[in-house]
C-alpha cells in the first residue's frame, strides 16, 4: 500500500501542474511560507489553453504558463539551479550534497526503471522524482513521486534502481533550489506589482467556453479525440483557477473575487467530470456541457475587472 506524502492535494494537483512543477512547489512551500506568491502565474487565459491543448494538441504536461519564473522565485529569495551529467556516478556527489543542505533534489529520469510507475518495464518516458534522503548503511534512496492515482507518495529504492532510471534517460539532469536572504515586505510588493502588470496585459476572448459546442460537433476531428482534448483543457483550467484562488485569497482583499473563483473551480470540475464521463462511455451531453461553459464565461467576465481593480489598489 502506498504511503501518501502530506501536502495540499487540491492546490498542488496534477490538473494544472506537471510532475516537476508540482514536486517543486510542494517542496518550496514546505520551506518558504511566501511560496504562494508564485501562484499569480496561474492566471492563464483560456485562449492560451485552447491554443496549446486543443488546436496544437500538446500533451497537458507540456503546457507553458510561466510558473516558477526565475524573477518570481528571486522575489522570495529562491534560485533555481540545474546541472547536466553524463552518468549517475558523476551526479552522485552533487545529489548527496544538495539533499544534505536543502533537504531534497529533483532528478530527471526514465519511468521504465522505477517500479512504482505505471509504465515500469513497458514504456520509456521522461519523468522527475524528488530524492529526500540517502541511507549509507542500506545504500537506498528515499524519494517522493506520483503513484498511479497521481498522489504524491513516499518510496525507497536501492541506489542502482535510481541510477538505472537516470543513466538510461535521454535528458540527465539534476534540479534543485538554493535560498538567499530577502525582504518579505519588498517581496509582497513585487508580487502584487507583477500580478497587476500581468492583468494589464491579459487578454482572453473566452472562445473555449463560447465555442465548445462547435468543437464537439466539428466534423474534422474524431469525436473521441475532441472529448479527450477538451478534458485536458478543462483540467488545466480547473487547476489554474484553484491556484489563482489561493493567491487571491492570501494577497487581495476582495471577497467577491474569492466567491467567483470558488464557483469557477466547482463549475469547471463539473464540466471536467462530464467530459470524463464522455471519454468513458463514448457519449457526451453537448447541450449540458455548452450551458455549463456559458456560466463559466459569465463568471470570468465578472472576475477580470474585479482582479484588475483589486490588484491595482494594492500594487
Amino acid at each position: 500500500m502506498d504511503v501518501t506524502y502530506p501536502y495540499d492535494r487540491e492546490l498542488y494537483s496534477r490538473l494544472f501542474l506537471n510532475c516537476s512543477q508540482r514536486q517543486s512547489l510542494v517542496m518550496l512551500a514546505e520551506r518558504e511560507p511566501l511560496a504562494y506568491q508564485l501562484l499569480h502565474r496561474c492566471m492563464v487565459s483560456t485562449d492560451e489553453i485552447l491554443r496549446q491543448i486543443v488546436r496544437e494538441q500538446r500533451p497537458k504536461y507540456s503546457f507553458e504558463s510561466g510558473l516558477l519564473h526565475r524573477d518570481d522565485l528571486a522575489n522570495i529569495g529562491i534560485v533555481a539551479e540545474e546541472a547536466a551529467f553524463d552518468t549517475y556516478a558523476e551526479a552522485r556527489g552533487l545529489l548527496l550534497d544538495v539533499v544534505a543542505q536543502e533537504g531534497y533534489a529533483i532528478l530527471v529520469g526514465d519511468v521504465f526503471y522505477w517500479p512504482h510507475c505505471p509504465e515500469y518495464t513497458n514504456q520509456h518516458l521522461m519523468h522527475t522524482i524528488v530524492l529526500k534522503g540517502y541511507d549509507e548503511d542500506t545504500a537506498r534512496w528515499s524519494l517522493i513521486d506520483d503513484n498511479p492515482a497521481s498522489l504524491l507518495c513516499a518510496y525507497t529504492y536501492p541506489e542502482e534502481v535510481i541510477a538505472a532510471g537516470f543513466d538510461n534517460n535521454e535528458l540527465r539532469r539534476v534540479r534543485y533550489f538554493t535560498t538567499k536572504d530577502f525582504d518579505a515586505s519588498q517581496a509582497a510588493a513585487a508580487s502584487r506589482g507583477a500580478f497587476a502588470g500581468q492583468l494589464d496585459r491579459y487578454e482572453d476572448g473566452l472562445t473555449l467556453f463560447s465555442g465548445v459546442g462547435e468543437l464537439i460537433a466539428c466534423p474534422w476531428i474524431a469525436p473521441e479525440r475532441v472529448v479527450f482534448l477538451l478534458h485536458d483543457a478543462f483540467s488545466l483550467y480547473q487547476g489554474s483557477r484553484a491556484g489563482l484562488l489561493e493567491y487571491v485569497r492570501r494577497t487581495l482583499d476582495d471577497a467577491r473575487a474569492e466567491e467567483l473563483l470558488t464557483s469557477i473551480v466547482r463549475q469547471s470540475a463539473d464540466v471536467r467530470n462530464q467530459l470524463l464521463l464522455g471519454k468513458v462511455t463514448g457519449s457526451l451531453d453537448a447541450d449540458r456541457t455548452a450551458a455549463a461553459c456559458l456560466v463559466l464565461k459569465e463568471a470570468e467576465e465578472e472576475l477580470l475587472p474585479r482582479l484588475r481593480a483589486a490588484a491595482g489598489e494594492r500594487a
Side-chain angles (χ1 to χ4, degrees):
M1 182 176 180
D2 291 338
V3 178
T4 305
Y5 189 78
Y7 69 103
D8 188 329
R9 299 183 193 179
E10 182 175 350
L11 179 59
Y12 302 119
S13 76
R14 286 295 302 274
L15 292 175
F16 179 61
L17 306 172
N18 63 31
C19 57
S20 182
Q21 290 170 340
R22 194 255 287 271
Q23 292 164 359
S24 297
L25 281 171
V26 168
M27 294 296 103
L28 289 171
E30 286 184 356
R31 291 156 177 81
E32 175 47 62
L34 296 184
Y36 69 87
Q37 293 183 359
L38 302 170
L39 298 177
H40 72 83
R41 296 281 181 176
C42 292
M43 184 66 182
V44 296
S45 75
T46 63
D47 283 355
E48 196 60 23
I49 294 174
L50 178 67
R51 179 183 71 82
Q52 293 188 41
I53 301 302
V54 178
R55 292 177 178 160
E56 297 179 3
Q57 300 191 24
R58 295 188 193 182
K60 188 163 72 73
Y61 60 78
S62 294
F63 182 78
E64 296 180 5
S65 66
L67 194 64
L68 297 175
H69 192 281
R70 287 185 176 273
D71 290 346
D72 299 337
L73 291 167
N75 286 338
I76 55 174
I78 296 170
V79 180
E81 308 279 5
E82 181 170 300
F85 297 93
D86 290 330
T87 67
Y88 171 82
E90 295 176 1
R92 187 176 188 272
L94 177 66
L95 286 170
L96 292 171
D97 288 345
V98 169
V99 170
Q101 293 171 18
E102 305 296 337
Y104 68 100
I106 297 174
L107 180 136
V108 184
D110 188 337
V111 295
F112 185 89
Y113 299 91
W114 295 332
H116 66 280
C117 296
E119 302 87 355
Y120 177 57
T121 72
N122 288 314
Q123 183 181 1
H124 292 278
L125 186 68
M126 187 174 70
H127 185 55
T128 61
I129 58 175
V130 180
L131 297 181
K132 289 278 288 179
Y134 181 73
D135 189 322
E136 294 281 358
D137 295 332
T138 62
R140 295 176 70 90
W141 276 105
S142 60
L143 63 99
I144 300 167
D145 192 21
D146 291 1
N147 71 355
S150 290
L151 297 177
L152 287 179
C153 294
Y155 302 95
T156 60
Y157 288 129
E159 186 170 22
E160 59 266 25
V161 173
I162 303 302
F166 186 83
D167 287 341
N168 292 285
N169 192 46
E170 183 176 348
L171 188 70
R172 293 176 289 280
R173 298 286 190 274
V174 174
R175 297 170 181 165
Y176 58 101
F177 298 93
T178 57
T179 57
K180 59 183 180 180
D181 292 337
F182 70 99
D183 183 283
S185 60
Q186 290 180 5
S191 173
R192 292 192 298 267
F195 188 47
Q198 183 181 352
L199 289 168
D200 285 343
R201 300 184 298 272
Y202 187 86
E203 295 182 357
D204 195 346
L206 302 173
T207 308
L208 177 64
F209 303 134
S210 59
V212 71
E214 294 179 9
L215 280 170
I216 293 171
C218 179
W220 310 113
I221 310 177
E224 61 273 17
R225 182 61 179 167
V226 172
V227 172
F228 175 88
L229 294 171
L230 285 173
H231 181 265
D232 274 4
F234 276 90
S235 295
L236 279 164
Y237 176 65
Q238 179 189 343
S240 73
R241 279 4 184 208
L244 182 60
L245 172 59
E246 178 71 3
Y247 180 81
V248 168
R249 182 180 68 82
R250 302 187 64 171
T251 306
L252 305 182
D253 183 19
D254 192 317
R256 178 55 181 165
E258 292 182 40
E259 181 183 331
L260 283 166
L261 280 165
T262 300
S263 176
I264 284 170
V265 171
R266 183 171 58 249
Q267 182 78 0
S268 58
D270 180 59
V271 173
R272 183 175 62 85
N273 288 334
Q274 291 178 41
L275 292 163
L276 178 60
L277 183 62
K279 285 175 62 177
V280 173
T281 66
S283 177
L284 178 67
D285 187 335
D287 290 340
R288 180 185 173 191
T289 302
C293 285
L294 289 180
V295 174
L296 287 169
K297 181 174 182 291
E298 292 173 359
E300 285 282 337
E301 288 172 339
E302 182 181 351
L303 176 66
L304 181 57
R306 294 202 71 91
L307 291 180
R308 281 177 170 157
E313 289 174 358
R314 298 292 300 275

